[in-house]
Amino acid sequence: MASKRPIFPGTRKRALEKCAQDVEDPAWRAWFLEVARRRAEVEQAGKRFVVRTYEEDGGSKTVARRKADPVPVKKLVKDVARDMRPRPADELDMIRTAWAKVAGEEVAGESAVYSFRGGVLTVEVYSGILLQELRQFHAAALVKDLRDVWPASVPLVSLKFRTGKRSSTL
């Protein structure tokens, strides 16, 4: 039984450049050259691997990994630097003022802004009963009101409450 021959016998790997020279039609010539170029890229991609052989436990082992493509430092630093932009020194004071304005005098007297990190505002509450009331019933409304008057450069994502102690000032 005879082996099947491809429709275009010149598409074998070693005959592509020859067929490109023999064909008179420019469209076929371009096709043959494009296939030859792509095959050459695939062969060169195989050379992008680093193979290391080392001795371990009395035997030799081989490790292969893909060569790393160089990445400009500018690209790596750009993503990190976006989050590290300078903030005003008094940003926490502005947040404390906004909390006092939104929460009201009574609640602000029984609480204090503890921290603001990554869009999460943490508020210390000195009374356990008030803490539970704020968590269960007023948290969503306070977040909406705070977002309306939010002064910080980083947006408010969520609001957390924690128990706290009053600092004694004597």
Side-chain angles (χ1 to χ4, degrees):
M1 193 178 227
S3 65
K4 282 189 166 183
R5 298 186 92 195
I7 296 172
F8 300 107
T11 58
R12 289 190 309 251
K13 190 173 188 179
R14 60 184 169 268
L16 285 175
E17 283 88 16
K18 184 181 176 205
C19 283
Q21 294 171 356
D22 294 343
V23 173
E24 294 177 11
D25 186 16
W28 278 110
R29 185 177 299 122
W31 183 81
F32 282 123
L33 292 175
E34 179 66 20
V35 170
R37 184 187 63 79
R38 288 185 183 180
R39 285 182 179 169
E41 284 180 2
V42 169
E43 287 175 4
Q44 289 175 357
K47 296 176 185 174
R48 291 186 175 184
F49 286 92
V50 177
V51 178
R52 300 276 188 236
T53 305
Y54 63 95
E55 297 288 328
E56 183 178 299
D57 297 331
S60 65
K61 293 191 176 187
T62 305
V63 176
R65 67 170 177 80
R66 193 177 179 134
K67 280 187 182 176
D69 293 329
V71 178
V73 174
K74 178 181 177 182
K75 184 177 184 234
L76 297 173
V77 173
K78 187 177 183 181
D79 298 332
V80 176
R82 186 178 302 135
D83 296 334
M84 297 176 61
R85 59 182 169 256
R87 296 184 189 146
D90 58 346
E91 192 168 87
L92 194 56
D93 292 332
M94 292 188 302
I95 293 172
R96 287 185 178 124
T97 306
W99 169 252
K101 186 162 98 175
V102 168
E105 288 180 26
E106 292 179 8
V107 175
E110 293 293 319
S111 64
V113 172
Y114 178 73
S115 69
F116 178 66
R117 290 188 184 111
V120 178
L121 177 66
T122 306
V123 177
E124 268 187 330
V125 182
Y126 307 131
S127 168
I129 296 169
L130 180 61
L131 174 73
Q132 289 302 319
E133 184 179 338
L134 289 174
R135 276 186 188 161
Q136 291 178 2
F137 304 113
H138 302 290
L142 285 171
V143 169
K144 287 180 185 177
D145 292 343
L146 275 170
R147 285 183 181 154
D148 290 340
V149 296
W150 192 247
S153 59
V154 177
L156 177 66
V157 176
S158 67
L159 180 64
K160 289 187 177 183
F161 298 100
R162 63 174 283 195
T163 57
K165 293 183 180 179
R166 271 199 187 103
S167 60
S168 59
T169 55
L170 293 177

